[in-house]
Amino acid sequence: MFRARHDTPPEDGVTVTIDGHDVTVPPDTSVAAAALLAGLDHVRTTPVSGTPRAPYCMMGICFDCLMEIDGVPNRQACLEIVRPGMTVRRQDGARSLGAAP
Amino acid sequence: MKTEWDVVVIGAGPAGLTAATEAAGLGLDTLVVDEQPAPGGQIYRSVEAVHTRRTKDAALLGPDYGHGLDLVRRFRDANIPYWPETGVWQVTEDGELGITRAGEAGLLKARRIIAAAGAQERPVPIPGWTLPGVMGAGGAQVLFKSAGMIPRGRTVIAGTGPLVLLVAGQLSDAGAEIAAVLDTVTQADYHMAAGHLFSALKASDYVLKGLAMMVKLRRRGIPVHAGVRAVSVTGSDRAAGVAYTDPKGTTHSLAADTVLLHDGVVPSTQLTRQLDCTHGWHHTQRYWYPVTDAWGTTSCETLAVAGDCAGITGAKAAEASGRLAALDTATRLGRLSAVNRERRAMALLAFQRRHTAVRPLLDQLYQPRLSLPAGTPDDTILCRCEEVTAGAIRAAVADGCLGPNQLKAFTRCGMGPCQGRMCGLSVAELIAAERRVPVMQVGYYRIRPPIKPVTLGALAAMAPTAPAPPDPLDT
Ligand SMILES: Cc1cc2nc3c(=O)[nH]c(=O)nc-3n(C[C@H](O)[C@@H](O)[C@H](O)COP(=O)(O)OP(=O)(O)OC[C@H]3O[C@@H](n4cnc5c(N)ncnc54)[C@H](O)[C@@H]3O)c2cc1C
Ligand code: FES
């Protein structure tokens, strides 16, 4: 869906694992941007009908970027900045927001 | 964590940065919080990183973007306490703020709060807008500014507003394939808007920039189709194209890998709604704004608003309004005499007038069209979170539903995690259209804190004096 204009060499970037794929991105990239760069077409499916959704607003408004980040579900991936070694997963369904322990 | 401040400024965009710099300069103990990782707000997003590490992108974004660097530097030089990645989930009349920072919740106390929360893109509920491959044009611009990313493949931009041409030009400069721009502005709109041309000439640089953007797209050979209607995104699992009707009524379709929608920006009113401030309705641009005095004070005196969250006037006017709110705050807190407040305000008000002179023209020319739900097909989703369609809302109105709050009980519309940010405007418009009453009469969702997600764990770990806010879904 999106591509980076410039490649980020591993030594300059942050490497995270998204749905099993390693991707290296510039240090202050959001998880949602990294997910798009990793080639994910959608980042979650909806709890109501199970249809796929992708980040829409990129600024914390739409909540269509909810992903599981380091084991915590319902994180707004567009507001979370990548950290080395982060593990991110696509989120299927899961309605309750903020119910993480 | 220091918890008591004279002023807490919410937002580090142009309005928040200038408000904080002015307030601190007047001796007020000032804190800036912003949920983004770096200062700049939406217009100057990532401006420091772009100018230090991605200078090629800086050249593409141009001098208007570069201006943000001056604002940010002035702010940094003043050494004002600034907490990035800090979201505000509640403000109270007493000046209390609920925040989350690094996964933890906390409470702050301010003698005055200046909300400079900015704007959001107006949601554009057209058929297919929930498909992957569809994004806000501003959202795509965020990806470019913050991560140097551009859409892959054929990209169609549809809607209206100054940002449509700007983003089309920027992404094209950056190497994206802009297959077409579908603009809803008609010839008649140009004639109507011409009535405001005289006042707009006080800010003729805006008009000239707009024309330059059109010329640039034309030179690139990017087709700009004007006066389009009935835009829809086609595709089953993801966007595959766009269909639209031209002014003659002929239907066209275009293949597209990415579809960017935009129908103007609207004030972010979540904070002022949560405090139950009085709001007005902007009739041309069709959005809610908090009613304020000339200094930005809302109907709740503890809270002032500045910048686009007070009404869309653009980034330059936001700088003036931030400083005006800070001056008034200093007077209220006994740091500046009313006479001196007025004296300092004169130049700011003149600057603000100059930069808002173009607004009547822009507001008239770029009226939202795609997002107006009167003609929206029944099976189109309005509430993305709970997947409530226009048809379901029409049925609820037929069954006696009078407004957005009642609609929650009828349909769950507006009860998902976005708390109505993506459907509130269109729902109010649709109910008003169905009931044939003014939108003001229909009203808006009642917004309860927390307005940003706070985990139960974070709340439990908070100081025991803190009242536990109700669950966002429990409305
Ligand atoms: C996506 C987008 C892109 C835009 N791009 C341009 C452009 O290129 N050129 C242009 O002229 N105009 C642009 N605009 C219009 C924009 O509104 C500008 O006029 C300008 O950014 C407004 O400045 P501001 O200070 O009022 O708000 P903003 O710059 O929007 O700053 C508001 C800040 O408040 C923060 N914030 C909001 N709520 C909270 C909260 N609850 N807790 C913590 N922090 C919070 C946000 O993170 C943000 O950084 C854009 C608008 C949007 C929505
Ligand atoms: S993309 Fe909209 S909230 Fe993250």
Side-chain angles (χ1 to χ4, degrees):
Chain A
M1 193 178 167
F2 277 75
R3 65 181 172 89
R5 294 188 69 226
H6 320 285
D7 283 337
T8 306
E11 62 276 17
D12 292 348
V14 174
T15 303
V16 295
T17 310
I18 299 184
D19 255 19
H21 305 282
D22 281 356
V23 55
T24 301
V25 295
D28 37 20
T29 305
S30 69
V31 173
L36 293 172
L37 280 181
L40 265 67
D41 200 54
H42 67 277
V43 302
R44 69 168 188 128
T45 55
T46 60
V48 180
S49 67
T51 48
R53 292 281 173 87
Y56 181 88
C57 73
M58 290 308 295
M59 57 174 286
I61 300 290
C62 72
F63 289 72
D64 259 326
C65 62
L66 296 178
M67 297 187 80
E68 184 190 304
I69 301 178
D70 286 336
V72 184
N74 286 316
R75 304 295 302 170
Q76 280 177 284
C78 71
L79 293 180
E80 194 107 1
I81 301 305
V82 291
R83 287 183 306 273
M86 214 177 217
T87 304
V88 183
R89 264 182 234 285
R90 205 176 265 174
Q91 176 165 315
D92 287 314
R95 181 194 293 273
S96 97
L97 183 78
Chain B
M1 183 170 90
K2 176 171 148 67
T3 55
E4 308 234 333
W5 301 87
D6 286 339
V7 189
V8 172
V9 177
I10 306 169
L17 292 174
T18 50
T21 311
E22 188 76 30
L26 290 163
L28 296 171
D29 192 19
T30 305
L31 169 71
V32 179
V33 294
D34 193 309
E35 62 189 348
Q36 295 298 332
Q42 300 310 339
I43 176 164
Y44 308 126
R45 233 212 226 221
S46 309
V47 70
E48 291 171 309
V50 167
H51 277 264
T52 50
R53 292 203 302 274
R54 290 166 37 211
T55 44
K56 280 190 197 137
D57 290 345
L60 295 180
L61 285 160
D64 282 353
Y65 179 71
H67 170 72
L69 196 60
D70 298 338
L71 282 183
V72 171
R73 280 196 180 135
R74 239 170 287 150
F75 169 72
R76 293 275 197 203
D77 289 346
N79 268 321
I80 297 163
Y82 161 57
W83 297 352
E85 292 185 74
T86 304
V88 176
W89 47 264
Q90 177 170 28
V91 291
T92 71
E93 269 184 89
D94 306 329
E96 225 165 48
L97 296 100
I99 59 161
T100 43
R101 219 186 152 195
E104 282 178 26
L107 288 182
L108 302 176
K109 184 90 198 277
R111 295 170 68 197
R112 195 124 208 276
I113 300 169
I114 300 178
Q120 66 166 77
E121 288 188 278
R122 175 192 297 275
V124 188
I126 60 171
W129 74 309
T130 55
L131 290 170
V134 184
M135 193 182 258
Q141 193 204 35
V142 166
L143 280 171
F144 177 49
K145 287 175 183 168
S146 64
M149 287 164 64
I150 55 174
R152 244 183 230 285
R154 284 170 59 87
T155 300
V156 172
I157 307 185
T160 200
L163 220 52
V164 166
L165 296 180
L166 179 68
V167 172
Q170 285 172 340
L171 293 180
S172 160
D173 285 346
E177 184 196 339
I178 308 298
V181 174
L182 305 179
D183 199 330
T184 54
V185 171
T186 61
Q187 278 301 316
D189 291 326
Y190 279 103
H191 293 307
M192 290 283 285
H196 299 287
L197 197 56
F198 186 72
S199 102
L201 287 179
K202 281 181 232 144
S204 54
D205 41 339
Y206 285 90
V207 179
L208 293 176
K209 273 179 199 162
L211 291 174
M213 288 191 272
M214 304 264 262
V215 171
K216 178 198 262 186
L217 296 187
R218 197 151 297 161
R219 284 223 187 99
R220 287 271 155 80
I222 296 172
V224 179
H225 302 290
V228 306
R229 291 290 181 270
V231 177
S232 62
V233 183
T234 53
S236 50
D237 278 347
R238 74 172 326 282
V242 182
Y244 67 95
T245 308
D246 71 17
K248 293 198 192 101
T250 313
T251 301
H252 303 262
S253 57
L254 292 170
D257 300 294
T258 304
V259 180
L260 305 179
L261 302 176
H262 186 79
D263 213 10
V265 298
V266 299
S268 294
T269 53
Q270 220 71 3
L271 284 164
T272 45
R273 283 284 173 193
Q274 174 256 290
L275 252 186
D276 209 14
C277 298
T278 306
H279 287 75
W281 176 254
H282 192 297
H283 289 278
T284 335
Q285 277 295 310
R286 315 195 67 82
Y287 60 63
W288 303 101
Y289 60 90
V291 175
T292 67
D293 66 10
W295 308 98
T297 302
T298 65
S299 59
C300 165
E301 283 199 23
T302 322
L303 180 76
V305 286
D308 274 0
C309 76
I312 305 302
T313 51
K316 279 292 173 69
E319 290 179 30
S321 72
R323 293 180 63 189
L324 288 167
L327 289 178
D328 183 51
T329 298
T331 301
R332 285 167 183 268
L333 301 186
R335 287 278 177 167
L336 184 71
S337 69
V339 175
N340 276 334
R341 175 190 63 178
E342 245 89 301
R343 199 174 48 80
R344 289 178 188 228
M346 285 208 332
L348 295 174
L349 289 168
F351 180 89
Q352 201 178 34
R353 270 195 303 276
R354 189 179 102 63
H355 285 282
T356 47
V358 72
R359 285 293 144 183
L361 181 136
L362 296 180
D363 290 350
Q364 179 75 43
L365 186 59
Y366 297 122
Q367 287 179 59
R369 287 246 163 71
L370 286 187
S371 52
L372 293 193
T376 307
D378 274 344
D379 57 359
T380 303
I381 287 175
L382 255 62
C383 167
R384 295 172 68 101
C385 297
E386 297 294 334
E387 298 181 57
V388 182
T389 61
I393 297 167
R394 289 190 177 108
V397 175
D399 285 346
C401 170
L402 296 173
N405 290 307
Q406 261 187 332
L407 187 65
K408 290 183 178 180
F410 275 86
T411 63
R412 289 195 62 82
C413 192
M415 294 180 74
C418 91
Q419 293 183 302
R421 288 171 175 90
M422 293 301 284
C423 67
L425 275 173
S426 19
V427 159
E429 294 257 22
L430 182 56
I431 297 177
E434 291 295 303
R435 289 183 51 205
R436 296 169 205 275
V437 297
V439 179
M440 276 297 264
Q441 198 173 318
V442 163
Y444 194 73
Y445 294 125
R446 195 164 41 248
I447 303 298
R448 302 235 175 93
I451 61 160
K452 298 267 162 188
V454 197
T455 62
L456 296 178
L459 281 179
M462 219 166 67
T465 50
D471 188 277
L473 300 180
D474 176 28
T475 26

